Amino acid sequence: MKRILPLLIIVLFLSGCGVPKEYSGVSTKMGTVVTMHIYMSGEDITPKVDALLEKLETEELSRKISTSEIGRANANAGKAEVFPLSEPLLEDLKILQQLSEDSGGAFDCTIGPLSDLWNMDELATKDPASLSREVIPTKEEIENALQRVGYDRLVLRENGIVLSEGMVLDLGAAGKGIAGDRVVALLKKENVDAAVISIGGSVVTYGTKPDKSPWQVAITDPFGEKEYAGILTLVGTHFVSTSGDYERFIEVDGVRYHHILDPHTGYPVTNGLKSVTIVCDSGILSDALSTACFVIGEEEGIKLAEKYGAEALFIKEDGSVIMTDGMQAIYKEY
Ligand code: AMP
Ligand code: MG
């Protein structure tokens, strides 16, 4: 027996048991590019992450898919007394509703009628030369849509929501963050050692890499001049999200119209910001806060981020960069 033991240990070591492998994957999910690097000793779970994102988009979040929960809730606006929602989605809506309140309505997931009117998802993919002034909504159209927007009119009940006639939920500003939270739950369940996963403008870092080096997350240069604006150095699990005027926009007669809307005016936000990056310990909050802070601007945005224990970085049109104290310790300009 004494002789067999060391041999067994050698065999186990050679078979790779307990030695993490790196699995990588790139796919298109939730209308954006997803990249993954997962370090673990078991089987490749990148297909499971892809499947989770696909399911989340098609069965829960997409307002463009009539069979998703949000799609069905919107179709039933003004009809159903209480429209039942799954528990995780209802919990997420409660978090977003609180953020709407805390941001004075700058964040508003009932923005759907305005998002539909501006139709930026589609216009931004068109040939810029084909766009004329007619694609910009009229003042009257915006006023009409505004009448159907308002987080304070979204009623959350114990097992569902009440939407009045004409209301449209749009979780576009929080969906990638919600995805980050769900992915982290899967990574935990699958005993993943470490991972870095980016879903469009949202990135999750999870655990510690086998070589113990910190995670480095690049922040996009919103002016498109440098390879990136700067680098975040992070240790452990974090959620990073960026909202910017460069993500989806059109230009008509020299004016840029982008996808982040001010729920009070109905127009794209124009407050001198190019992008906002948030780092925090919740996916849904990192994503929703980046949008909220973009709308309210750097002064109020820093206060809001601090209230949520999040770090924030604002890049302005004049090139200046403003950030919370905690962000100074983890951000390095490129
Ligand atoms: P993000 O890129 O995360 O900042 O999210 C922007 C998307 O969220 C837009 O494409 C709209 O679908 C939606 N949206 C735009 N403005 C707002 C707002 N003020 N509050 C909540 N969602 C918004
Ligand atoms: Mg967002």
Side-chain angles (χ1 to χ4, degrees):
M1 273 312 269
K2 267 183 195 161
R3 274 188 203 153
I4 294 170
L5 196 62
L7 197 71
L8 251 181
I9 290 169
I10 290 167
V11 171
L12 282 177
F13 182 73
L14 289 177
S15 71
C17 197
V19 180
K21 294 191 205 92
E22 180 181 346
Y23 299 110
S24 301
V26 182
S27 58
T28 305
K29 290 279 172 284
M30 307 186 81
T32 190
V33 178
V34 175
T35 61
M36 306 180 228
H37 298 279
I38 297 180
Y39 304 86
M40 64 186 296
S41 45
E43 297 267 297
D44 182 8
I45 64 151
T46 56
K48 284 193 184 174
V49 176
D50 272 334
L52 181 152
L53 296 175
E54 179 76 24
K55 198 163 178 291
L56 180 65
E57 169 79 341
T58 56
E59 294 182 11
E60 287 185 50
L61 301 183
S62 178
R63 77 176 200 283
K64 308 259 168 80
I65 297 174
S66 60
T67 48
S68 76
E69 286 188 66
I70 292 295
R72 286 185 291 118
N74 286 338
N76 278 282
K79 291 183 197 146
E81 190 55 17
V82 176
F83 189 82
L85 287 182
S86 62
E87 210 180 306
L89 189 51
L90 199 52
E91 285 307 309
D92 286 337
L93 281 177
K94 282 183 195 160
I95 293 169
L96 297 179
Q97 193 73 330
Q98 184 61 49
L99 180 64
S100 297
E101 216 166 278
D102 293 337
S103 65
F107 183 91
D108 194 329
C109 59
T110 69
I111 198 109
L114 278 168
S115 320
D116 286 344
L117 182 62
W118 282 94
N119 194 20
M120 210 56 88
D121 294 357
E122 204 186 308
L123 292 182
T125 64
K126 292 216 163 135
D127 173 10
S130 71
L131 301 174
S132 63
R133 208 174 294 180
E134 281 84 75
V135 301
I136 308 299
T138 65
K139 220 168 164 224
E140 202 184 356
E141 286 172 320
I142 286 177
E143 266 154 28
N144 281 339
L146 270 174
Q147 282 171 14
R148 296 185 282 129
V149 174
Y151 75 92
D152 46 350
R153 296 166 56 210
L154 167 65
V155 183
L156 300 181
R157 292 270 165 78
E158 211 169 301
N159 62 340
I161 57 170
V162 186
L163 287 178
S164 49
E165 176 83 44
M167 286 180 80
V168 182
L169 291 179
D170 170 9
L171 294 194
K176 291 170 189 96
I178 293 173
D181 288 328
R182 304 284 180 93
V183 167
V184 162
L186 177 69
L187 300 179
K188 281 186 186 151
K189 192 174 130 223
E190 297 285 342
N191 289 319
V192 165
D193 293 312
V196 60
I197 298 177
S198 96
I199 309 164
S202 293
V203 178
V204 184
T205 65
Y206 178 79
T208 306
K209 261 191 273 183
D211 69 3
K212 306 277 189 286
S213 61
W215 301 110
Q216 298 212 296
V217 177
I219 309 285
T220 301
D221 174 15
F223 302 99
E225 289 161 2
K226 297 188 281 185
E227 206 177 330
Y228 38 82
I231 292 272
L232 292 168
T233 301
L234 301 168
V235 175
T237 303
H238 298 276
F239 298 87
V240 182
S241 184
T242 299
S243 289
D245 76 345
Y246 56 87
E247 282 176 285
R248 248 166 286 147
F249 67 95
I250 55 169
E251 257 165 17
V252 176
D253 295 343
V255 179
R256 175 180 291 219
Y257 299 88
H258 61 85
H259 70 308
I260 305 171
L261 305 171
D262 184 337
H264 297 119
T265 65
Y267 283 86
V269 174
T270 49
N271 58 7
L273 285 177
K274 288 294 288 180
S275 78
V276 179
T277 297
I278 298 286
V279 181
C280 75
D281 59 7
S282 148
I284 184 172
L285 283 173
S286 68
D287 195 353
L289 276 170
S290 69
T291 309
C293 289
F294 193 103
V295 179
I296 57 179
E298 66 272 21
E299 228 166 89
E300 290 303 311
I302 283 184
K303 289 185 212 153
L304 183 67
E306 281 172 349
K307 180 174 176 151
Y308 278 88
E311 304 302 340
L313 178 129
F314 301 80
I315 302 181
K316 298 181 66 171
E317 272 167 8
D318 64 7
S320 59
V321 180
I322 291 161
M323 61 189 112
T324 53
D325 293 344
M327 187 64 95
Q328 310 239 1
I330 52 176
Y331 179 73
K332 195 163 179 294
E333 201 166 315
Y334 181 59

